[in-house]
Amino acid sequence: MKTPVIQIKDLAFRYPKAGGICIDIQELNADAGDRLFIYGPSGSGKSTLLGLLGGVLSPERGTISLLGHELTKMTPPARDRLRADHIGFVFQQFNLIPYLSVTDNVLLSCRFSSRRRNRAIASGKSLLDEAARLLDHLDIAPELRHRPVTQLSVGQQQRVAAARALIGGPEIVIADEPTSALDAERQTAFLDLLSRECIAANATLLFVSHDRRLASGFNREISLPSLNLVQAEQEAA
Amino acid sequence: MKYLLSLAVRSAWNRKLTLGLTLISMALSVALLVGVERVRQDAQDSFEQSVSGTDLVVGARTSPVQLMLYAVFHIGDATNNIHWQTYKDIASNPAVAWTIPVSMGDSHHGFPVVGTTTDYFAHFHYGESAPLAFASGIPFAGLFDTVIGAEVADHLGYHLGDKITLSHGTGDIGLTEHADKPFLVTGILARTGTPIDRTVHVSLEAIEAIHLDWQSGAKIPGFSIPAEFASKFDLTPKEVTAILVGLKSRAGVFKMQRFVNEYHAEPLLAVLPGVALDQLWQVVGIAERALLAVSGMVVVVGLCGLIAVILASLNERRRELAILRSVGARPLDIFLLLSAEGLFVTLSGTLIGMVLLTAVTAIFAPLIQAHYGLIIAPKFISFDELGLLGIVMGISLLASLAPGYGAYKLSLSDGLTPRI
C-alpha cells in the first residue's frame, strides 16, 4: 500500500498560555498528486493547521505524518529539515525577502535544503537555469529576474513565491490564501498556473482559503469548520 | 552558514541608513576610547621619561615623591638644601660619571629659575634618551646669561638678546625683583614636552651673584652691589637644592644610593627616578584613568544604541523571519542571523574607528607635538589596545545575543504566520 503524503490522526492542539484547544481533527489524509481545497473562514484554525503541518507547532495529542515521517516523534531541527526538503509554502502576501532579487528569492528554498538544491540542478542544468525555467512557466518575464522584488506587482510577487515553493520538486505545496490580494481575473490565472505546475511535479497541493468560489479545479474540497471539532466561536481571538 | 552570513550582510545593507548611523556612532566611540587610551599611554610614557639617563636624584632627606616634584618638575620647595662640600664629595666619588647640580628658589613670571652648570646641557636626557637641543642660541657663558625653555619663550614672547629680570621666591605675585641684575637670553631650548620647557636656566654663580646683597631672604636695606662688580666677589655656591647623578656603570646604582642615604655629614636621600616617577604617576594618573572610564562608557552607550536599533527593526522583520522559517531555517539560524548583524556592525565600526583614529593622529600628531610636546607615535594598533578592543568586541558579542534571542523567541511563537 502506498504511504499517504499527509496523514493526520486524532490531532489536538492548544497554544501555550492560551485557553482551550483550538484544533481537534479526527482524521485527514492526502495522497501524492492530490489537490486539496481547504475552506475555512478566518478564525477556523487555518494558520494553526499550517503551523502544525510545517512542524513549527507541536500538537498536544495525536499524530501528523508527512511522507511516512511522524512529526511528533522528530526533534525540532529534524522537523525544520523535513519542511525544508519536502514542503513549499506560498503565503497570503509579502511572500518575498525585500532585499533579495527575484532569482535569489526563488533559490532561497535551495539554500536551506541540499535535497532540493540537488533536485533543482538535476531538473535544469544549473540552479539558475531551473529558476529561470520555473519563472518562465509562471509568466515572469526574463528581464524581471534580476530586479529587486519590491519593483514587482502583487500578482508577479505571488508567482515568484509559487516558483520558490515549487523549485527542487517538494512533494507538498501548501498555499495559504495566496490569491487574496489579487483581483478575480488574476486569482483564476494564478490558481491555474499553480495547479498546472503541481500536476507536472506530481506534488500534493494544499490550498487554504476563506473564498469558496476558488474551489473549482481541485479534486477534493474540505471544510475546515466541519473537520475541526472545536467550534469557531470558542477560539474567537 | 555561509549563506546566512551573506543574508545578514544583504539584510543589513537593505537598512543601511539606520545601521550606517549606528555604525558611525560605534566608529566614533571606538576611536574616542582608543584615542584616550593612546593619549593616556603617551602622556604616561612622556611623564615617566621626564628625565632619562639619570641614575640617581639626590636631595635633602624627604619623601622620594617630594624630591622628584621639586628636583625634576620644579614644583614646590625643598625643605633643605645640600652643602657645597657634600656636592663635591658625591661628584668626586669614583663610581660617578657626571653630576648636574641644581639650585632653585627664584622664579620669572611664575616660571621656575634653575641655577646649574653647563653640564646640564651636556648630560641631561629625556624621553628615549634624547639630549637637550637648542632651538636657537648657545648655553650660558657669562655671569648674567640665561637659557630659557621653549614654553617660557613662547608664552612671554622672548627672543635671543632680550633682557629679563628674576624674582626672589616662587609664584607670580608679590615677589621682590632682582631688578638691578638683568639677564641676557643667550639660548632657547627646543620643545621637550617635559618641565624643562617651563624653566629658566642660569649658572650657579649667577644665583650667588643676585643674592650678594641679600640676607635671610630679603634685600639688605640701603646696601646694593651693582651687577658689574658682582663678578669680583667669590661666587662659589654655598648650597645646591638637588643633584642629578649619572654613574659610570648602572650596576653600581644601589651601592651609590646606599652611599648617599648613609652620608654622614647631613641627612640625604637618593632615589631612582624611574621608580619615583612611577609612584608619582599613580597620583596624577587618576584623572587619566577617569577619562578612560568615561570613554569606556561612551562605547557602552554606543553599543546600547546599536542593540536598540536592531531590536526595533525586529518587528518589521517578522515577515522576513517567517519566510526564512518556511523555507527551512531553524530557530538557531534566525538567532545567528540577528546576532551576526550586531557583531558585523561592531566589527566594522571598530575597524572604521581605528582607521579614523590613525588618520586623525597622522594629521594632528605634528600639531600636538608642537603645542603640547606630547609625542604621539604613529601606529595602527598596539598590543594593549588590542586587549581593549578585545573587551569591546566581547561585550558587543554578548550584547548582540540580545536581538538574536529576541528573534529566536519571535520565530518560535510566530511560526509561519506572524501576527503583525
Side-chain angles (χ1 to χ4, degrees):
Chain A
M1 199 185 96
K2 236 174 36 173
T3 332
V5 175
I6 299 173
Q7 195 170 30
I8 291 178
K9 265 198 189 119
D10 192 25
L11 178 70
F13 174 81
R14 101 172 67 216
Y15 278 101
K17 291 178 200 164
I21 286 174
C22 63
I23 288 264
D24 187 353
I25 294 174
Q26 280 307 304
E27 190 168 28
L28 176 67
N29 292 316
D31 292 321
D34 266 2
R35 279 171 293 118
L36 264 73
F37 183 86
I38 298 179
Y39 155 80
S42 49
S44 56
K46 284 179 296 180
S47 300
T48 312
L49 180 61
L50 296 184
L52 286 163
L53 284 170
V56 176
L57 304 174
S58 298
E60 183 173 290
R61 185 189 76 216
T63 56
I64 307 169
S65 298
L66 299 181
L67 304 156
H69 304 277
E70 198 178 309
L71 290 185
T72 38
K73 287 184 179 159
M74 297 166 79
T75 60
R79 290 202 298 265
D80 291 332
R81 153 66 47 83
L82 188 77
R83 176 174 72 251
D85 284 347
H86 302 289
I87 310 179
F89 280 95
V90 186
F91 295 110
Q92 219 161 345
Q93 53 176 330
F94 311 118
N95 256 304
L96 306 176
I97 306 250
Y99 50 83
L100 294 179
S101 73
V102 168
T103 302
D104 281 333
N105 261 290
V106 173
L107 292 179
L108 204 57
S109 302
C110 300
R111 306 293 185 190
F112 290 91
S113 162
S114 51
R115 180 178 187 267
R116 284 177 74 174
R117 180 166 58 241
N118 294 336
R119 284 170 66 121
I121 294 170
S123 168
K125 283 195 203 84
S126 68
L127 280 181
L128 283 177
D129 282 346
E130 177 65 2
R133 186 188 70 83
L134 276 167
L135 286 170
D136 271 350
H137 278 224
L138 289 160
D139 287 340
I140 298 292
E143 63 267 25
L144 295 179
R145 281 178 206 158
H146 296 287
R147 291 251 183 101
V149 291
T150 43
Q151 292 179 8
L152 268 54
S153 72
V154 181
Q156 287 168 332
Q157 288 188 18
Q158 291 304 80
R159 297 206 295 278
V160 172
R164 183 181 66 211
L166 289 162
I167 197 167
E171 287 83 348
I172 304 164
V173 174
I174 296 178
D176 178 14
E177 305 247 22
T179 58
S180 64
L182 304 179
D183 54 55
E185 212 169 298
R186 288 175 188 281
Q187 281 182 343
T188 331
F190 179 81
L191 275 179
D192 288 347
L193 278 174
L194 189 63
S195 295
R196 195 184 70 203
E197 289 305 314
C198 286
I199 292 166
N202 196 33
T204 302
L205 174 62
L206 219 71
F207 193 100
V208 184
S209 177
H210 68 278
D211 189 353
R212 209 160 192 168
R213 288 170 302 169
L214 301 171
S216 62
F218 289 87
N219 55 11
R220 282 174 66 190
E221 183 188 336
I222 294 167
S223 160
L224 194 52
S226 59
L227 185 69
N228 188 0
L229 301 178
V230 179
Q231 290 306 302
E233 301 87 66
Q234 278 182 313
E235 54 150 341
Chain B
M1 189 67 208
K2 208 175 122 202
Y3 188 69
L4 270 184
L5 273 182
S6 118
L7 264 187
V9 171
R10 283 201 260 184
S11 166
W13 183 249
N14 190 43
R15 287 166 291 124
K16 51 185 171 293
L17 185 67
T18 33
L19 283 182
L21 287 174
T22 45
L23 182 75
I24 289 170
S25 88
M26 256 334 272
L28 288 178
S29 52
V30 165
L32 180 71
L33 176 72
V34 178
V36 164
E37 167 64 8
R38 197 168 282 187
V39 168
R40 195 184 73 91
Q41 198 60 51
D42 286 340
Q44 182 176 4
D45 286 351
S46 105
F47 178 88
E48 293 190 348
Q49 291 171 347
S50 304
V51 50
S52 66
T54 297
D55 295 308
L56 286 171
V57 177
V58 176
R61 188 161 298 165
T62 174
S63 82
V65 167
Q66 170 114 29
L67 176 57
M68 290 307 288
L69 272 179
Y70 68 75
V72 175
F73 294 94
H74 311 147
I75 297 169
D77 296 306
T79 45
N80 262 306
N81 283 343
I82 305 171
H83 288 108
W84 186 245
Q85 184 54 46
T86 307
Y87 166 69
K88 286 206 289 191
D89 278 357
I90 290 170
S92 60
N93 188 293
V96 172
W98 51 264
T99 53
I100 300 171
V102 289
S103 187
M104 279 162 284
D106 286 345
S107 67
H108 174 72
H109 290 288
F111 292 107
V113 172
V114 169
T116 183
T117 64
T118 46
D119 282 346
Y120 191 88
F121 305 109
H123 295 302
F124 190 91
H125 286 68
Y126 69 98
E128 306 275 356
S129 72
L132 291 178
F134 279 82
S136 58
I138 48 164
F140 48 72
L143 185 56
F144 293 110
D145 286 354
T146 177
V147 171
I148 58 177
E151 170 104 31
V152 180
D154 276 358
H155 194 255
L156 300 174
Y158 290 152
H159 303 284
L160 292 184
D162 284 352
K163 295 238 172 189
I164 65 172
T165 57
L166 308 186
S167 314
H168 190 76
T170 52
D172 206 9
I173 41 170
L175 298 177
T176 323
E177 293 277 310
H178 296 287
D180 56 334
K181 299 184 183 69
F183 282 77
L184 176 73
V185 177
T186 61
I188 297 171
L189 293 171
R191 199 170 272 279
T192 62
T194 70
I196 307 270
D197 295 347
R198 301 179 44 81
T199 304
V200 175
H201 306 87
V202 298
S203 66
L204 284 174
E205 290 75 18
I207 298 282
E208 288 302 316
I210 56 176
H211 295 110
L212 275 176
D213 40 12
W214 286 56
Q215 199 172 42
S216 310
K219 212 166 185 330
I220 302 165
F223 177 67
S224 176
I225 297 167
E228 52 270 36
F229 298 129
S231 55
K232 307 230 183 287
F233 289 80
D234 174 20
L235 295 176
T236 308
K238 291 168 198 70
E239 293 179 325
V240 294
T241 314
I243 312 165
L244 309 186
V245 180
L247 298 179
K248 284 176 183 143
S249 155
R250 289 225 63 180
V253 70
F254 292 109
K255 196 176 167 211
M256 188 65 201
Q257 188 182 27
R258 198 159 56 245
F259 168 77
V260 173
N261 287 342
E262 291 168 0
Y263 189 73
H264 55 88
E266 59 182 323
L268 296 178
L269 173 73
V271 298
L272 282 75
V275 176
L277 282 170
D278 212 39
Q279 281 178 0
L280 202 47
W281 182 257
Q282 301 300 318
V283 180
V284 296
I286 287 173
E288 321 274 332
R289 282 199 292 277
L291 203 58
L292 185 66
V294 169
S295 54
M297 283 178 227
V298 171
V299 173
V300 170
V301 170
L303 264 176
C304 287
L306 168 71
I307 300 309
V309 162
I310 298 177
L311 278 176
S313 75
L314 208 55
N315 218 25
E316 306 159 22
R317 295 179 68 188
R318 288 171 86 161
R319 178 69 65 176
E320 177 189 332
L321 300 180
I323 296 167
L324 291 174
R325 284 283 278 150
S326 80
V327 295
R330 294 164 298 168
L332 180 67
D333 294 327
I334 303 292
F335 174 78
L336 290 175
L337 184 71
L338 269 286
S339 297
E341 182 164 295
L343 213 58
F344 169 73
V345 172
T346 9
L347 204 66
S348 37
T350 305
L351 202 66
I352 292 171
M354 290 310 293
V355 170
L356 192 74
L357 181 66
T358 310
V360 167
T361 324
I363 294 167
F364 290 103
L367 227 65
I368 292 171
Q369 191 174 353
H371 279 84
Y372 302 102
L374 197 60
I375 298 159
I376 296 177
K379 59 186 167 192
F380 182 66
I381 198 161
S382 77
F383 191 72
D384 282 350
E385 291 163 7
L386 218 55
L388 201 62
L389 292 182
I391 294 171
V392 171
M393 296 311 296
I395 293 173
S396 77
L397 177 70
L398 284 179
S400 301
L401 298 182
Y405 182 71
Y408 173 84
K409 293 296 279 181
L410 212 53
S411 74
L412 282 183
S413 68
D414 276 357
L416 303 176
T417 41
R419 281 165 265 287
I420 296 174

